[in-house]
């Protein structure tokens, strides 16, 4: 059995993605192997992610970036090497944080790593310009807890993000995750959804595509339609996401219409 197959087997037997001990076990067995990366690879994320960060970079320097649920992903490494030095990474697994500290302490001395639960962050309000999530929100959605932990986490994102800042979430776009994103970032946020390129060998119907959801924090009363740049292209996953997007935009339009009618009456 290869290392990748072993890791995938471990993930299949985890009792819960929100249990710290399960992740400690996973990261311990994984060791220092850097080849295992969930969701899209950096080569696919780089263009769209840096495009959004560069727009903020012109307004404030240096950008304060938070990566919650960082695990042992190389996302932060690449961001640092791309010129974004003020990065804070948090994860509730001490094993993951220790591994990343050893890997980066000399090469990337400006990067910070802390053991912390992303649903109860220990940061001051409006501490960050950008929050970059790669699969963290997806991992919080479990039958045992329902949407509780997801709502707690997004509430914390709202709290620690500065006005004008951006929440960038890489997700597989399942219905529960989209429901959380749409409801938590409806009023006072500008949102867009962008598909990441499929891997070349991603041909089976059950292969998952990664989407980048970007929510920009604005005035509390602002209400926008969600923009998107994708079409139906990959089985039921994209069809379901597109349907959810159309339904949410319909809700937002109804809210806007109702608000306009009230304004006329007053």
């Amino acid at each position: 059995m290869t290392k990748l197959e072993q890791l995938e087997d471990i993930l299949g037997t985890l009792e819960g993605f929100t249990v710290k001990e399960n992740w400690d076990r996973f990261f311990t067995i994984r060791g220092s192997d850097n080849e295992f990366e969930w969701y899209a690879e950096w080569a696919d994320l780089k263009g769209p992610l840096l495009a959004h960060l560069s727009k903020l970079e012109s307004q404030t320097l240096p950008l304060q970036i938070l990566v919650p649920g960082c695990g042992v992903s190389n996302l932060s490494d690449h961001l640092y090497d791309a010129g974004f030095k003020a990065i804070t990474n948090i994860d509730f697994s001490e094993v993951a944080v220790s591994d990343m500290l050893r890997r980066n302490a000399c090469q990337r001395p400006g990067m910070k790593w802390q053991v912390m639960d992303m649903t109860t962050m220990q940061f001051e309000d409006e501490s960050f310009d950008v929050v970059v999530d790669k699969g963290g929100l997806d991992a919080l959605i479990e039958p045992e807890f329902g949407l509780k932990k997801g709502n707690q986490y997004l509430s914390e994102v709202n709290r620690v993000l500065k006005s004008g800042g951006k929440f960038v979430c890489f997700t597989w776009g399942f219905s529960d995750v989209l429901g959380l994103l749409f409801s938590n970032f409806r009023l006072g946020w500008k949102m867009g959804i962008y598909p990441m390129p499929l891997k070349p060998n991603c041909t089976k119907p059950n292969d998952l595509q990664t989407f980048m959801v970007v929510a920009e924090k604005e005035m509390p009363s602002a209400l926008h339609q969600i923009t998107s740049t994708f079409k139906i292209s990959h089985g039921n996953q994209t069809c379901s996401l597109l349907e959810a997007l159309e339904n949410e935009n319909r809700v937002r339009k109804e809210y806007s219409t109702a608000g306009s009618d009230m304004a006329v009456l007053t």
Side-chain angles (χ1 to χ4, degrees), residues 33-131:
D33 183 358
N34 294 329
E35 297 180 0
F36 187 78
E37 188 76 20
W38 286 357
Y39 296 75
E41 299 289 341
W42 173 249
D44 300 320
L45 307 180
K46 179 180 178 180
L49 176 57
L50 295 187
H52 280 280
L53 297 185
S54 63
K55 293 176 183 177
L56 287 173
E57 190 178 21
S58 62
Q59 303 170 22
T60 175
L61 285 175
L63 278 184
Q64 297 295 323
I65 299 176
L66 173 67
V67 181
C70 60
V72 290
S73 169
N74 59 20
L75 173 63
S76 297
D77 304 8
H78 288 302
L79 282 173
Y80 188 94
D81 295 344
F84 300 95
K85 308 300 185 183
I87 303 175
T88 300
N89 303 272
I90 64 171
D91 200 286
F92 67 176
S93 170
E94 294 180 16
V95 176
V97 171
S98 296
D99 185 33
M100 296 304 281
L101 275 170
R102 284 193 298 270
R103 195 168 94 189
N104 289 284
C106 294
Q107 277 187 289
R108 302 173 181 92
M111 199 148 47
K112 299 177 182 178
W113 304 87
Q114 297 183 46
V115 177
M116 189 183 301
D117 187 335
M118 63 188 191
T119 66
T120 54
M121 299 185 205
Q122 299 157 20
F123 299 116
E124 297 292 330
D125 294 356
E126 300 191 358
S127 296
F128 298 96
D129 301 293
V130 185
V131 177

Side-chain angles (χ1 to χ4, degrees), residues 164-215:
K166 291 184 178 182
F167 175 53
V168 182
C169 179
F170 293 100
T171 174
W172 282 327
F174 295 135
S175 58
D176 287 344
V177 173
L178 292 177
L180 282 172
L181 288 168
F182 291 163
S183 60
N184 279 275
F185 301 128
R186 184 173 287 147
L187 285 174
W189 297 81
K190 183 185 294 183
M191 183 180 291
I193 304 179
Y194 313 93
M196 298 295 99
L198 286 166
K199 296 180 180 179
N201 60 349
C202 188
T203 57
K204 296 180 291 185
N206 59 345
D207 286 330
L208 295 173
Q209 182 169 11
T210 299
F211 296 89
M212 181 177 74
V213 179
V214 181

Side-chain angles (χ1 to χ4, degrees), residues 119 137 140-141 146-157 179-181 183-184:
T119 66
L137 178 59
L140 291 176
I141 310 303
L147 304 179
K148 180 180 178 181
K149 286 187 175 292
N151 276 313
Q152 288 176 336
Y153 167 53
L154 293 183
S155 177
E156 284 290 87
V157 169
L180 282 172
L181 288 168
S183 60
N184 279 275

